[in-house]
Every structure is written in C-alpha cells, then in structure tokens.
C-alpha cells in the first residue's frame, strides 16, 4: 500500500498543478509594456473593453457604416486563383439597389458638401485663369486633377473604383467575418506572399507559416530591423492575429440539417496562439495585435478635426439619424484622442531626410502591394473582409504618415476648408477595420474566461 503524502509534498504537488494550469492560460501572459510604445496591455484592455468597444459597435450598426461598396471580381494580378465561390460559407450576398439608403447611393455622397466643393473648384479655375487664360481645356482639366493625383500618391492601399459596374454594395452585418472553411495551400499562399515578399521580414523568421509546421533551426530576430520596418512587420502580424481571432471566435461548431451553430473554438485558438504549439510565436502575435490597435487608435485621434467640420455629414438621407450618428462618431474620436498613452508616430522616419523619405515610400509601396494581394483570395467572404481591413489600415497609415495632409487638417482661417479628404469608402473601412481590432481585443477576454473554465 503506498505511503500517504506528507503536507510539504502535498503543497509542492499543488504548486506544480497551479503552474500547469497557468501554462494553459497562455493569453494571460500577454501583459505589461509593448515594445516601441509607451503603453501596456492592461491599459488597452480596460480602455477598449469598458469604454470604446460598446459605443463603436453601436456606430458600426448604423446604415452609414454597414454598407460598403467593393469590387469582388477584380482579377488577381499575380497568379491564377481557384475560386471557392462554390463553398456555401464563402459566398457574399450583395445588396439590391433598394436596400441601400438613397443618400449613400447619391453621386455626391463622397463630398463634404457639394456647395463647398463647387466653390473650391471655382476658386481653382479662377486661379488657373489668372495664371494663363490661354490654357487649353485639356491642360486646365489636367491641372485641376493634380490634387486627386497628389492624394493617390499618399495612399497606402488600392481603392476600388466605386463607379465600376463590378462594384457592389455589401451589408457587412449580413455578411459577418467568421470561419468559412477556406484553408490549405491556397490560403497560406496569400499569407506567405505577404510575409515573404512585402513585409521587410528578417530572413531568420521561422517558415513555413502554417500552424504546427516550423523549421526548428531558424529563430526570429525582429529587433535587428530598424524601427520603421519592425513596426510595419508588427502591423501585418497584428492584422493576421486579429483575423485568426475572429475565425476562432465565430467558428462553425455544428452544421447539421436542422441547425448551424457558431461559437468560440478554444482548440483552434490554442493552435494559433499557444506558445508551445507555435514555437513561442503565439504570444508575440497577440502583442502585435495590441500594437496594431495603438496605431489605428492614433489615426482616429489625429483625424478628428476632419470630422469636426460643420459641413461634414454621415449622409444617408435621414437627417435626424445622420446627426445622431455624427455626434456618436465625434464622441468616439474624442475618446480616442483622450487616450493617455498614444503611439508616437514622430519617432518614425527621422534622421537623414532622403533616406527617411525613401524608406517611407518603400513601406507605402509594400502595403500597396499587400492590398493588391487581397484580390487573390479565393474565398469571396474572406476577400471582402481582407480588402476592407487592409484598406482601413492603409487609410490609417495615410492619416499618420502624410505630413502635408495632416497639416491640412488645421485650417489657417475659419473660412478655409482643409484640402485633406477621405472618401466614404475610406471612412467606412477605417472605422470598420478598427472595429475588427477592437472586437479582437474584446474576444481575448472571452477566450481567457473559457480557458479558465477548463482548468
């Protein structure tokens, strides 16, 4: 008969059991300060989950933000894509014309106000005429379009042509981001292409990127990169982490003839973020998610003056609702501005002016290329949310790193309208992309609770 355990042995066994249980709670280890930032995980959790998340969800359910115009039929510019439109979970149901509010469908919905735009055009024409009245119509039109080309030169992502017959409105609430079954070599080709060709990724990072398959001889030395390239890699890694959290949180748990049940899949979440199952990369991915949150939060704080313009409206054709939702938007942006520990974007692209400008352009072109890769996603629903979230992040980068544009947000006189502009497409993607990141932070709290129940 075995001997009874003595009290010290029992205490030691309990301590070991506690350590084992804590090892299962790997997300709780994502704590403390974030690299390259003056912020910590706990501050972001409290700010997002308790203050910003509820208001943001209400805003994104409004008509202005739920309808997104996108072209899902653009061909992949890099390789031949095998469409997965036959998979029922990959399908996207576009809106019929009468489902979209008339104000959104109006040709002038991208304008701050039609009157102000017409006034600016008249002033530009008057200025051009004062310079040289002999200019041909073609030359005058070319000069008037300079501001448009300048804006495109500041963009970090491809923007679909809303006037294209292939562009359609999609109700984001009726086509939520969740597990679709799109996986395997074709899905991983997307991420491998993003990381390998566009991400300034150190050559020593572990590959391939498929969960559970790593080359143990390689290690990850991200700190060897300059702060700008390191930040860019962390943004893409954070976006990747956020998407994986969404798929794990809205996973198809049961698909029978009488029901389709969606919910949290803890096993899937572990596979993507458990330190042991990802060779130590999982917690780093989650920290990069918080870094991405800070970047997009900073962009929202900086762009507040654009939305504060009296002439700006979230126009859907319902004045009372439009005003209420604009007030809610301004409240959210003011809350973002009041966040005490913002990312300092002035720490980027410092030093030699020429080298800094070249590095900024390299990063802009790399992200522009990533946005093109979204047209190579074979699953239409994944393509929809991939395009929206990359465009949202690209818009955030446009806000942060275009000095001329940011300065234009501060008019020098009360009668001068800033030249900085955002299209409705950019506005909708910016807020919805941040909404996805905010949801991911909130879902981490849910997964921590589920993991705690298993202990």
């Amino acid at each position: 008969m075995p001997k009874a355990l003595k009290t010290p042995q029992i205490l030691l066994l309990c301590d070991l059991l506690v350590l084992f249980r804590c090892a299962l709670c790997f997300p709780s280890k994502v704590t403390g300060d974030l690299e390259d930032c003056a912020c910590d995980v706990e501050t972001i959790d409290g700010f997002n989950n308790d203050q910003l998340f509820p208001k943001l969800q209400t805003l994104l359910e409004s008509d202005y933000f739920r309808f997104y115009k996108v072209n899902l039929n653009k061909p992949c510019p890099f390789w031949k894509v095998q469409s997965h439109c036959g998979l029922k979970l990959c399908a996207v149901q576009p809106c019929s014309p009468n489902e979209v509010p008339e104000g959104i469908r109006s040709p002038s919905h991208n304008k701050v106000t039609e009157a102000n735009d017409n006034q600016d055009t008249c002033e530009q024409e008057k200025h051009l005429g004062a310079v040289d009245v002999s200019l041909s119509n073609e030359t005058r039109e070319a000069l008037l379009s300079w501001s448009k080309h300048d804006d495109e030169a500041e963009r970090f992502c491809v923007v679909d042509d809303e006037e294209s017959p292939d562009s359609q409105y999609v109700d984001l609430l009726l086509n939520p981001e969740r597990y679709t079954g799109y996986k395997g070599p074709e899905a991983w080709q997307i991420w491998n292409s993003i990381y390998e060709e566009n991400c300034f990724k150190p050559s020593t990072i572990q590959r391939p990127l498929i969960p559970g398959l790593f080359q143990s001889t390689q290690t990850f030395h991200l700190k060897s990169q300059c702060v700008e390239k390191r930040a860019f890699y962390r943004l893409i890694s954070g976006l990747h982490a956020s998407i994986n959290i969404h798929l794990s949180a809205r996973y198809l748990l049961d698909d029978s003839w009488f029901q389709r049940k969606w919910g949290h899949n803890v096993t899937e979440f572990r596979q993507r973020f458990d330190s042991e199952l990802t060779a130590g990369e999982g917690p780093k991915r989650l920290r990069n998610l918080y870094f991405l949150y800070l970047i997009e939060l900073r962009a929202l704080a900086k762009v507040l003056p654009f939305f504060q313009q009296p002439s700006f409206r979230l126009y859907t054709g319902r004045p009372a609702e439009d005003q209420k939702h604009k007030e809610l938007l301004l409240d959210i942006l003011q809350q973002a501005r009041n966040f005490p520990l913002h990312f300092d974007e002035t720490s980027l692209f410092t030093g030699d002016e020429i080298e800094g400008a070249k590095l900024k352009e390299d990063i802009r072109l790399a992200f522009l290329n990533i946005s093109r890769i979204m047209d190579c996603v074979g699953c239409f629903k994944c393509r929809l949310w991939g395009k929206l979230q990359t465009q949202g992040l690209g818009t955030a980068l446009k806000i942060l790193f275009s000095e001329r544009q940011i300065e234009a947000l501060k008019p020098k006189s009360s009668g001068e309208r800033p030249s900085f502009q955002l299209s409705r497409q950019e506005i909708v993607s910016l807020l919805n992309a941040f909404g996805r990141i905010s949801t991911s932070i909130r879902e981490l709290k849910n997964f921590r609770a589920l993991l705690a129940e298993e202990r």
Side-chain angles (χ1 to χ4, degrees):
M1 184 174 179
K3 295 181 180 179
L5 292 174
K6 297 180 181 180
T7 301
Q9 292 174 312
I10 294 175
L11 293 176
L12 178 60
L13 183 61
C14 289
D15 289 341
L16 291 174
L17 182 58
V18 169
L19 289 174
F20 173 74
R21 286 175 174 174
C22 287
L24 294 177
C25 304
F26 63 92
S28 65
K29 293 184 177 180
V30 183
T31 60
D33 295 336
L34 295 170
E35 297 82 0
D36 301 322
C37 303
C39 193
D40 58 84
V41 168
E42 292 79 6
T43 299
I44 295 175
D45 279 339
F47 173 76
N48 179 74
N49 298 341
D50 301 333
Q51 300 181 47
L52 209 60
F53 176 79
K55 294 179 180 179
L56 189 57
Q57 295 309 301
T58 299
L59 180 70
L60 296 181
E61 291 173 1
S62 68
D63 282 350
Y64 188 89
F65 289 100
R66 69 185 290 182
F67 293 105
Y68 177 62
K69 197 168 190 181
V70 62
N71 183 355
L72 297 177
N73 296 313
K74 290 174 69 175
C76 172
F78 304 110
W79 61 79
K80 186 176 181 180
V81 176
Q82 181 179 349
S83 174
H84 288 257
C85 57
L87 294 176
K88 56 185 176 181
L89 299 180
C90 280
V92 171
Q93 181 60 47
C95 299
S96 61
N98 61 348
E99 293 176 308
V100 182
E102 184 178 358
I104 293 177
R105 290 185 279 114
S106 170
S108 61
H109 71 258
N110 282 340
K111 308 296 184 182
V112 175
T113 63
E114 187 174 351
N116 278 353
D117 275 0
N118 288 340
Q119 180 180 355
D120 285 352
T121 301
C122 291
E123 290 177 355
Q124 286 179 314
E125 290 176 342
K126 185 187 299 183
H127 174 73
L128 291 175
V131 174
D132 188 349
V133 295
S134 66
L135 292 175
S136 67
N137 290 335
E138 292 79 5
T139 302
R140 293 166 67 87
E141 290 176 2
L143 291 173
L144 286 171
S145 68
W146 276 358
S147 61
K148 177 182 178 181
H149 292 306
D150 287 344
D151 181 60
E152 291 177 352
E154 299 290 346
R155 285 179 177 166
F156 282 73
C157 62
V158 174
V159 177
D160 288 345
D161 179 9
E162 293 191 77
E163 303 304 318
S164 168
D166 289 328
S167 292
Q168 295 178 296
Y169 283 102
V170 174
D171 187 336
L172 298 175
L173 298 184
L174 298 182
N175 295 273
E177 184 183 24
R178 58 190 178 190
Y179 175 81
T180 64
Y182 178 60
K183 55 186 177 181
E186 293 178 13
W188 283 103
Q189 183 182 13
I190 299 295
W191 286 111
N192 279 325
S193 179
I194 289 173
Y195 283 110
E196 296 289 342
E197 300 173 19
N198 301 282
C199 212
F200 303 108
K201 175 189 55 55
S203 60
T204 53
I205 190 174
Q206 294 170 339
R207 62 172 73 83
L209 297 170
I210 300 176
L213 296 176
F214 292 96
Q215 297 178 12
S216 59
T217 58
Q218 295 181 322
T219 55
F220 187 16
H221 298 297
L222 187 59
K223 289 186 177 180
S224 64
Q225 296 278 29
C226 67
V227 63
E228 291 85 1
K229 292 183 178 181
R230 185 164 67 240
F232 187 81
Y233 170 81
R234 294 182 68 190
L235 289 178
I236 303 305
S237 174
L239 178 60
H240 194 180
S242 179
I243 291 173
N244 282 334
I245 291 173
H246 303 155
L247 303 186
S248 301
R250 303 194 71 168
Y251 200 89
L252 184 59
L253 302 177
D254 184 14
D255 188 15
S256 59
W257 66 272
F258 61 91
Q259 75 167 351
R260 182 176 290 170
K261 181 181 179 183
W262 304 88
H264 294 80
N265 187 325
V266 177
T267 300
E268 185 74 15
F269 182 74
R270 276 207 186 102
Q271 184 184 14
R272 298 176 185 273
F273 299 107
D274 188 298
S275 182
E276 292 185 2
L277 296 179
T278 59
E281 291 298 319
K284 296 177 185 177
R285 296 168 184 167
L286 294 179
R287 297 182 75 82
N288 291 339
L289 167 67
Y290 283 93
F291 180 77
L292 172 61
Y293 183 92
L294 286 177
I295 292 292
E296 296 202 7
L297 183 71
R298 177 60 176 160
L300 293 182
K302 291 200 71 170
V303 81
L304 173 61
F306 172 78
F307 293 105
Q308 284 178 324
Q309 296 174 97
S311 55
F312 177 82
R313 292 179 294 166
L314 298 176
Y315 186 68
T316 66
R318 305 184 185 102
E321 292 183 18
D322 294 343
Q323 181 59 30
K324 180 180 73 172
H325 291 137
K326 179 180 178 179
E327 291 171 359
L328 177 58
L329 171 63
L330 294 179
D331 182 30
I332 291 171
L333 298 181
Q334 186 62 58
Q335 205 165 5
R337 174 165 282 198
N338 293 339
F339 184 72
L341 299 171
H342 274 294
F343 176 80
D344 181 13
E345 71 280 3
T346 62
S347 64
L348 303 178
F349 307 113
T350 58
D352 183 83
E353 184 176 349
I354 296 178
E355 290 183 3
K358 182 181 183 303
L359 179 59
K360 175 183 172 183
E361 181 64 7
D362 287 345
I363 288 177
R364 188 186 74 85
L365 293 177
F367 196 84
L368 196 68
N369 206 47
I370 289 174
S371 70
R372 292 191 181 101
I373 293 176
M374 292 300 105
D375 287 316
C376 300
V377 178
C379 168
F380 283 168
K381 185 167 290 184
C382 304
R383 182 181 297 193
L384 164 66
W385 286 100
K387 286 169 74 77
L388 182 143
Q389 290 176 82
T390 53
Q391 184 181 17
L393 177 53
T395 303
L397 294 175
K398 168 185 169 179
I399 293 168
L400 287 181
F401 303 132
S402 298
E403 294 182 11
R404 179 181 61 82
Q405 302 274 17
I406 295 301
E407 284 301 315
L409 286 173
K410 304 171 184 176
K412 297 178 177 59
S413 66
S414 58
E416 180 184 351
R417 183 170 69 86
S419 62
F420 178 85
Q421 290 296 305
L422 293 175
S423 68
R424 179 182 176 275
Q425 207 176 15
E426 290 175 307
I427 294 170
V428 172
S429 64
L430 174 69
L431 270 296
N432 272 282
F434 183 70
R436 295 282 76 206
I437 307 303
S438 174
T439 299
S440 294
I441 300 292
R442 181 63 179 80
E443 287 293 358
L444 284 181
K445 180 178 179 180
N446 295 332
F447 276 112
R448 289 189 184 105
L450 292 171
L451 289 164
E453 292 176 1
E454 292 187 355
R455 297 203 305 268

